[in-house]
């Protein structure tokens, strides 16, 4: 009797490198503009509100479309969507780099976020579908390490590119900020070649159609929450921001009811409530959210404080993040071995270490401002980065550990949407708090207060980690 079974596609080392490159690019580009905002403002006369939109437009479109991107990958093939997203990311990065004015840049950033939302969910879904056992655990650890490093490396790379301005003969003074976008173009081209050769095609055996009502209500929910929080302070809190915030709970409630009704009828909603019944996913997401709020807010605030408060240049501001990146990487390498021995308690230990780093950083700012240099920041940055490196890769593994392969795209989309929405929320809330405090309290005290608020988020993450399943799959 003939056999009709086929071996599962395998993700080799080159394929894993390629999809991790695709995971790094969207996160790098969320943070890379932080150190470029002053030069964008100077060159394009953007003003505070448009500068916020340069950051928020990308983050909003990215967060809104991530779950849909995962669903489309399940349907049409994850490799195909990864290639499409990578190509679109390169083209929209080119549009950002060539933008003639601030509004053109905002539009290109929104399109760039949408391209990222097509590409990123395919990374986790491909890892889930094309690896197993120890190889999957290792790949998930590397994904977590890549995500964390990309967020820090974005500001380091951005500072270096703004300072180097390799395209100055073509673009003049605007070369620095343009290069932070144009650098993506050759990277995306290399990624396309590698993906075509090394990434296997996978798709769900039972792909579900697009959940149109769920997609629209999720978009409305995220926009009504994130848009007013990111734009409200810069715009002077006009009426639309309060109306939008008032609409958010109704939109979120309608989204939940529509998804629950579809789940009960045997359909496959955009975010199945039944998926949230997985203990590992539900409890893991409860930690990813406050962690990302604190991380996103910190990265934005520290970039502003170092450049405008300590008057460090873009390169020095970016390089101040290097101790955090190195320590994060070291902790990520040690993480898998520690997890095998101590399980999810590694996350708890990481929270305590990160809290110590934030306290050291706050004390350093209190004692050393305004004569604080890069060397003085090293201890706090390194300790905080090591703690973050113990947490994030393990959290990603926990969130997706029990998600079945046929729902890999949905599970990955839910996790990355939570992370991205929380990063954007962190920039909006902690960033707005910091900028609102500066006029009355001064840069030093505003930074210290913001660090203490972040410390509260770290404490919440640490306490919630005690509820995680002890064993990590």
């Amino acid at each position: 009797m003939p056999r009709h079974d086929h071996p599962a596609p395998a993700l080799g080392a080159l394929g894993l490198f390629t999809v991790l490159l695709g995971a790094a690019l969207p996160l790098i580009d969320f943070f890379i503009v932080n150190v470029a905002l002053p030069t964008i403002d100077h060159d394009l006369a953007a003003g505070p509100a448009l500068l916020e939109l340069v950051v928020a437009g990308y983050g909003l479109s990215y967060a809104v479309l991530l779950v849909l991107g995962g669903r489309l990958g399940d349907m049409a093939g994850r490799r195909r969507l990864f290639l499409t997203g990578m190509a679109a990311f390169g083209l929209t990065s080119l549009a950002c780099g060539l933008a003639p004015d601030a509004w053109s840049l905002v539009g290109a950033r929104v399109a760039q976020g949408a391209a990222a939302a097509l590409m990123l969910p395919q990374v986790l879904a491909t890892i889930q579908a094309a690896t197993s056992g120890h190889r999957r655990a290792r790949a998930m650890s590397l994904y977590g390490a890549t995500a964390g490093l990309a967020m820090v490396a974005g500001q380091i790379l951005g500072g270096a590119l703004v300072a180097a301005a390799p395209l100055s003969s073509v673009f003049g003074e605007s070369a620095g900020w343009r290069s932070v976008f144009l650098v993506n173009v050759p990277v995306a081209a290399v990624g396309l070649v590698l993906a075509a050769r090394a990434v296997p095609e996978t798709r769900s055996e039972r792909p579900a159609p697009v959940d149109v009502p769920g997609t629209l209500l999720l978009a409305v929910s995220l926009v009504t929450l994130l848009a007013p929080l990111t734009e409200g302070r810069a715009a002077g809190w006009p009426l639309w921001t309060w109306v939008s915030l008032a609409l958010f709970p109704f939109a979120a409630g309608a989204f939940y009811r529509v998804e629950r009704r579809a789940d009960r009828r045997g359909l496959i909603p955009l975010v199945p409530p039944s998926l949230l019944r997985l203990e590992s996913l539900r409890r893991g997401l409860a930690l990813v959210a406050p962690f990302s709020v604190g991380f996103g807010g910190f990265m934005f605030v520290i970039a502003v404080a170092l450049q405008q408060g300590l008057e460090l240049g873009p390169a020095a501001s970016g390089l101040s993040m290097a101790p955090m990146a190195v320590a994060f990487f070291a902790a990520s390498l040690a993480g898998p071995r520690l997890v095998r021995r101590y399980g999810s308690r590694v996350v708890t230990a990481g929270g305590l270490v990160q809290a110590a780093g934030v306290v050291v950083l706050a004390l350093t700012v209190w004692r050393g401002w305004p004569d604080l240099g890069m060397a003085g920041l090293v201890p706090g940055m390194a300790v905080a980065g090591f703690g973050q490196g113990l947490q994030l890769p393990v959290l990603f593994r926990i969130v997706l550990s029990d998600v079945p392969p046929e729902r890999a795209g949905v599970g990955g989309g839910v996790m990355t949407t939570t992370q991205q929405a929380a990063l954007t929320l962190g920039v909006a809330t902690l960033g707005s708090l910091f900028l609102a405090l500066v006029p009355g309290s001064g840069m030093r005290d505003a930074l210290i207060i913001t660090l203490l608020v972040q410390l509260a988020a770290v404490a919440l993450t640490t306490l919630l980690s005690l509820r995680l399943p002890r064993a990590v799959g």
Side-chain angles (χ1 to χ4, degrees), residues 45-73:
L50 280 180
L51 285 179
E52 295 252 3
L53 275 178
V54 170
V55 178
Y58 176 87
L60 273 171
S61 65
Y62 184 24
V64 163
L65 297 172
L66 272 166
V67 179
L68 179 61
R71 175 64 59 85
L72 292 175

Side-chain angles (χ1 to χ4, degrees), residues 351-444:
L352 294 173
V353 173
Q354 185 188 1
V358 174
V359 170
V360 169
L361 199 55
L363 290 173
T364 302
V365 171
W366 177 63
R367 296 181 61 184
W369 197 277
D371 301 317
L372 187 60
M374 290 173 57
L377 296 169
V378 169
M381 290 286 193
V383 174
F386 193 84
Q388 291 163 345
L390 290 177
Q391 295 174 83
L392 193 62
V394 183
L395 284 177
F396 285 166
R397 281 179 59 182
I398 290 171
V399 169
L400 296 177
S401 58
D402 295 328
V403 175
E406 63 270 16
R407 289 189 168 186
V410 177
V414 169
M415 188 184 75
T416 49
T417 297
T418 302
Q419 181 196 21
Q420 184 58 44
L423 288 171
T424 306
L425 187 61
V427 173
T429 54
L430 293 183
S432 294
L433 171 66
F434 171 74
L435 294 173
L437 288 171
V438 168
S441 303
M443 190 76 70
R444 185 197 74 164

Side-chain angles (χ1 to χ4, degrees), residues 291-329:
F291 178 94
S292 299
V293 166
F295 199 107
F298 170 79
M299 297 298 285
F300 175 80
V301 167
I302 201 70
V304 175
L306 293 181
Q307 290 193 80
Q308 297 184 8
L310 295 179
E311 297 183 351
L312 297 180
S317 174
L319 285 174
S320 297
M321 300 287 104
M324 179 177 283
V326 172
F328 190 103
F329 183 65

Side-chain angles (χ1 to χ4, degrees), residues 98-120:
L98 299 179
D101 53 60
W103 277 111
S104 298
L105 178 58
V106 169
R109 283 285 282 173
V110 171
Q112 190 188 33
L118 283 181
M119 178 170 59
L120 185 66

Side-chain angles (χ1 to χ4, degrees), residues 18-19 21-23 25 80-93 115-116 118-119 184-185 187-193 195:
T18 305
V19 294
L21 177 66
L25 281 175
R80 179 181 298 177
L81 263 291
F82 183 83
L83 288 167
T84 302
M86 180 73 80
F89 193 83
L91 291 173
T92 52
S93 296
L118 283 181
M119 178 170 59
N184 293 328
V185 178
V187 175
V190 171
L192 283 170
V193 174

